[in-house]
mmCIF file of all heavy atoms in Angstrom:
data_model
loop_
_atom_site.group_PDB
_atom_site.id
_atom_site.type_symbol
_atom_site.label_atom_id
_atom_site.label_comp_id
_atom_site.label_asym_id
_atom_site.label_seq_id
_atom_site.Cartn_x
_atom_site.Cartn_y
_atom_site.Cartn_z
ATOM 1 N N TYR A 1538 -0.932 11.336 18.457
ATOM 2 C CA TYR A 1538 -0.700 10.254 17.476
ATOM 3 C C TYR A 1538 -0.262 8.881 18.245
ATOM 4 O O TYR A 1538 0.086 7.889 17.489
ATOM 5 C CB TYR A 1538 0.346 10.625 16.459
ATOM 6 C CG TYR A 1538 -0.051 11.788 15.643
ATOM 7 C CD1 TYR A 1538 0.573 12.952 15.706
ATOM 8 C CD2 TYR A 1538 -1.149 11.778 14.777
ATOM 9 C CE1 TYR A 1538 0.226 14.106 14.982
ATOM 10 C CE2 TYR A 1538 -1.632 12.802 14.099
ATOM 11 C CZ TYR A 1538 -0.799 13.891 14.068
ATOM 12 O OH TYR A 1538 -1.246 15.063 13.291
ATOM 13 N N ARG A 1539 -0.385 8.816 19.561
ATOM 14 C CA ARG A 1539 -0.030 7.603 20.239
ATOM 15 C C ARG A 1539 -0.865 6.438 19.895
ATOM 16 O O ARG A 1539 -2.016 6.599 20.019
ATOM 17 C CB ARG A 1539 -0.080 7.878 21.778
ATOM 18 C CG ARG A 1539 0.396 6.662 22.667
ATOM 19 C CD ARG A 1539 0.505 7.134 24.081
ATOM 20 N NE ARG A 1539 -0.825 7.196 24.721
ATOM 21 C CZ ARG A 1539 -1.509 6.259 25.354
ATOM 22 N NH1 ARG A 1539 -0.904 5.071 25.499
ATOM 23 N NH2 ARG A 1539 -2.719 6.448 25.766
ATOM 24 N N PRO A 1540 -0.280 5.378 19.375
ATOM 25 C CA PRO A 1540 -1.121 4.149 19.019
ATOM 26 C C PRO A 1540 -1.864 3.777 20.137
ATOM 27 O O PRO A 1540 -1.435 3.583 21.406
ATOM 28 C CB PRO A 1540 0.020 3.211 18.512
ATOM 29 C CG PRO A 1540 1.215 3.977 18.222
ATOM 30 C CD PRO A 1540 1.067 5.086 19.138
ATOM 31 N N CYS A 1541 -3.122 3.272 19.925
ATOM 32 C CA CYS A 1541 -3.973 2.809 21.031
ATOM 33 C C CYS A 1541 -3.363 1.496 21.580
ATOM 34 O O CYS A 1541 -3.017 0.577 20.751
ATOM 35 C CB CYS A 1541 -5.343 2.519 20.531
ATOM 36 S SG CYS A 1541 -6.466 1.885 21.798
ATOM 37 N N PRO A 1542 -3.293 1.263 22.904
ATOM 38 C CA PRO A 1542 -2.779 0.044 23.451
ATOM 39 C C PRO A 1542 -3.566 -1.213 22.913
ATOM 40 O O PRO A 1542 -2.890 -2.282 22.773
ATOM 41 C CB PRO A 1542 -2.890 0.224 24.955
ATOM 42 C CG PRO A 1542 -2.831 1.608 25.136
ATOM 43 C CD PRO A 1542 -3.502 2.235 23.946
ATOM 44 N N LEU A 1543 -4.745 -1.020 22.632
ATOM 45 C CA LEU A 1543 -5.541 -2.282 22.156
ATOM 46 C C LEU A 1543 -5.090 -2.664 20.747
ATOM 47 O O LEU A 1543 -5.005 -3.779 20.401
ATOM 48 C CB LEU A 1543 -7.016 -1.939 22.159
ATOM 49 C CG LEU A 1543 -7.949 -3.001 21.672
ATOM 50 C CD1 LEU A 1543 -7.757 -4.286 22.602
ATOM 51 C CD2 LEU A 1543 -9.401 -2.567 21.693
ATOM 52 N N LEU A 1544 -4.817 -1.666 19.875
ATOM 53 C CA LEU A 1544 -4.126 -1.839 18.539
ATOM 54 C C LEU A 1544 -2.902 -2.651 18.616
ATOM 55 O O LEU A 1544 -2.643 -3.690 17.982
ATOM 56 C CB LEU A 1544 -4.051 -0.526 17.808
ATOM 57 C CG LEU A 1544 -3.388 -0.659 16.392
ATOM 58 C CD1 LEU A 1544 -4.173 -1.576 15.459
ATOM 59 C CD2 LEU A 1544 -3.245 0.802 15.838
ATOM 60 N N VAL A 1545 -2.073 -2.177 19.564
ATOM 61 C CA VAL A 1545 -0.753 -2.862 19.925
ATOM 62 C C VAL A 1545 -1.078 -4.384 20.314
ATOM 63 O O VAL A 1545 -0.418 -5.299 19.872
ATOM 64 C CB VAL A 1545 0.028 -2.189 20.904
ATOM 65 C CG1 VAL A 1545 1.336 -2.909 21.317
ATOM 66 C CG2 VAL A 1545 0.350 -0.738 20.532
ATOM 67 N N LYS A 1546 -1.961 -4.516 21.249
ATOM 68 C CA LYS A 1546 -2.305 -5.858 21.719
ATOM 69 C C LYS A 1546 -2.737 -6.824 20.604
ATOM 70 O O LYS A 1546 -2.310 -7.991 20.478
ATOM 71 C CB LYS A 1546 -3.369 -5.806 22.771
ATOM 72 C CG LYS A 1546 -3.629 -7.130 23.461
ATOM 73 C CD LYS A 1546 -4.720 -7.005 24.548
ATOM 74 C CE LYS A 1546 -4.103 -6.307 25.730
ATOM 75 N NZ LYS A 1546 -5.185 -6.219 26.834
ATOM 76 N N TYR A 1547 -3.637 -6.312 19.674
ATOM 77 C CA TYR A 1547 -3.981 -7.219 18.595
ATOM 78 C C TYR A 1547 -2.886 -7.477 17.692
ATOM 79 O O TYR A 1547 -2.730 -8.810 17.242
ATOM 80 C CB TYR A 1547 -5.192 -6.455 17.791
ATOM 81 C CG TYR A 1547 -6.513 -6.694 18.327
ATOM 82 C CD1 TYR A 1547 -6.887 -6.282 19.532
ATOM 83 C CD2 TYR A 1547 -7.467 -7.264 17.405
ATOM 84 C CE1 TYR A 1547 -8.257 -6.538 20.026
ATOM 85 C CE2 TYR A 1547 -8.855 -7.401 17.891
ATOM 86 C CZ TYR A 1547 -9.164 -7.164 19.140
ATOM 87 O OH TYR A 1547 -10.424 -7.293 19.524
ATOM 88 N N VAL A 1548 -1.985 -6.624 17.433
ATOM 89 C CA VAL A 1548 -0.858 -6.917 16.599
ATOM 90 C C VAL A 1548 0.032 -7.897 17.294
ATOM 91 O O VAL A 1548 0.578 -8.890 16.634
ATOM 92 C CB VAL A 1548 -0.008 -5.716 16.224
ATOM 93 C CG1 VAL A 1548 1.221 -5.950 15.408
ATOM 94 C CG2 VAL A 1548 -0.975 -4.673 15.343
ATOM 95 N N GLU A 1549 0.343 -7.779 18.539
ATOM 96 C CA GLU A 1549 1.091 -8.638 19.277
ATOM 97 C C GLU A 1549 0.532 -10.115 19.251
ATOM 98 O O GLU A 1549 1.258 -11.194 19.328
ATOM 99 C CB GLU A 1549 1.272 -8.221 20.765
ATOM 100 C CG GLU A 1549 2.196 -7.004 20.891
ATOM 101 C CD GLU A 1549 2.311 -6.503 22.276
ATOM 102 O OE1 GLU A 1549 1.487 -6.841 23.126
ATOM 103 O OE2 GLU A 1549 3.176 -5.678 22.626
ATOM 104 N N ALA A 1550 -0.904 -10.197 19.295
ATOM 105 C CA ALA A 1550 -1.448 -11.465 19.246
ATOM 106 C C ALA A 1550 -1.500 -12.147 17.829
ATOM 107 O O ALA A 1550 -1.842 -13.253 17.692
ATOM 108 C CB ALA A 1550 -2.907 -11.387 19.773
#
Side-chain angles (χ1 to χ4, degrees):
Y1538 298 115
R1539 183 172 71 95
C1541 179
L1543 184 60
L1544 177 60
V1545 176
K1546 183 179 291 186
Y1547 269 60
V1548 173
E1549 288 176 342

